[in-house]
Amino acid sequence: MTDENKKTTADDPTVDESNAAVELTEPADVDEAEKDDVAAEKDDIAAEKVTKKARVDRSPARGFRRYVSAILVAVALLASAGVAGWLYFHDYRMDQQTNAAAANVALDAAKNGTVALLSYSPDSLDKDFANAKSNLTGDFLSYYTDFTEKIVTPAAKEKQVKTAASVVRAAVAEMHPDSAVVLLFVNQVTTSKENPDGSFAASSVKVGLKKIDGRWLISAFDPV
């Protein structure tokens, strides 16, 4: 190697030391800056992915919560409507069906039915019994039909028995929407061929009623 080649930059006055330093340091600085930019870009991408994922995660949750809230509101409305309906039918309708006006209807049905039941004439037995049976229902209707056909009709025709009943006092003992019990005090005058002057009888009767198709009908008739 020659002495010329052995010269260093320190020995060569034409070489600028500052430029040489720049050339040595500049590539390192550029690499570091690029690394920083790449790292920052990666951070931004990662942050954007997290944000998108959070949006995706949150959006269905919010939708589900809104859906559930709507269902709860609907259920609450239905429940309140159900309660209102129940209160109407249970309290208001019950009161309407068992108030004084309803009791008077049942009372009149018991009085009129009892008068028809205990009043008949030998000249109009079929009509009288048909009228009485129109006020009766259930087992008592069956009993009355059998009793009048087999016992009352033959005796009334043979002995010319005639009866006339009247209700002197009446009171409702029990009152329900579809059933009632009425206590009656009844006077009955009976005449016959053997006793034309007639006989008088006073009795008390507990009358059971049932509401059938809007009408109060006698379902039980028990002397007390």
Side-chain angles (χ1 to χ4, degrees), residues 26-221:
E26 187 174 15
D29 294 340
V30 171
D31 291 341
E32 291 297 329
E34 289 178 354
K35 290 179 180 179
D36 292 341
D37 291 340
V38 171
E41 186 176 355
K42 289 181 178 180
D43 291 341
D44 291 340
I45 293 173
E48 186 176 356
K49 288 182 178 180
V50 172
T51 302
K52 287 182 178 180
K53 186 177 185 303
R55 288 175 182 170
V56 171
D57 291 342
R58 287 198 303 269
S59 180
R62 286 199 300 270
F64 179 75
R65 284 195 295 270
R66 287 196 297 270
Y67 179 73
V68 171
S69 298
I71 291 177
L72 292 176
V73 171
V75 169
L77 290 175
L78 290 174
S80 62
V83 170
W86 184 86
L87 289 174
Y88 172 78
F89 285 104
H90 185 267
D91 293 338
Y92 178 74
R93 290 295 302 275
M94 286 282 287
D95 289 342
Q96 289 293 98
Q97 294 176 16
T98 58
N99 60 16
N104 286 334
V105 173
L107 194 64
D108 288 340
K111 291 163 63 176
N112 294 334
T114 297
V115 170
L117 188 70
L118 299 178
S119 301
Y120 54 87
S121 172
D123 299 330
S124 55
L125 287 178
D126 292 340
K127 179 181 178 181
D128 295 338
F129 293 154
N131 180 43
K133 288 188 286 187
S134 69
N135 295 280
L136 312 180
T137 188
D139 292 339
F140 183 65
L141 172 59
S142 300
Y143 167 79
Y144 179 82
T145 300
D146 187 65
F147 179 74
T148 54
E149 288 178 354
K150 294 179 179 180
I151 297 177
V152 178
T153 297
K157 287 181 177 181
E158 180 183 354
K159 298 181 179 182
Q160 294 294 296
V161 178
K162 180 179 180 179
T163 64
S166 61
V167 176
V168 293
R169 294 186 64 183
V172 176
E174 295 180 20
M175 188 67 196
H176 307 283
D178 297 319
S179 64
V181 176
V182 176
L183 182 62
L184 302 178
F185 294 91
V186 182
N187 289 340
Q188 187 177 23
V189 177
T190 302
T191 62
S192 65
K193 184 169 57 176
E194 297 176 352
N195 186 11
D197 293 335
S199 61
F200 174 84
S203 60
S204 57
V205 182
K206 185 172 68 174
V207 180
L209 299 167
K210 286 187 178 180
K211 196 172 188 180
I212 308 294
D213 296 330
R215 287 190 63 206
W216 288 103
L217 301 176
I218 296 175
S219 59
F221 195 83

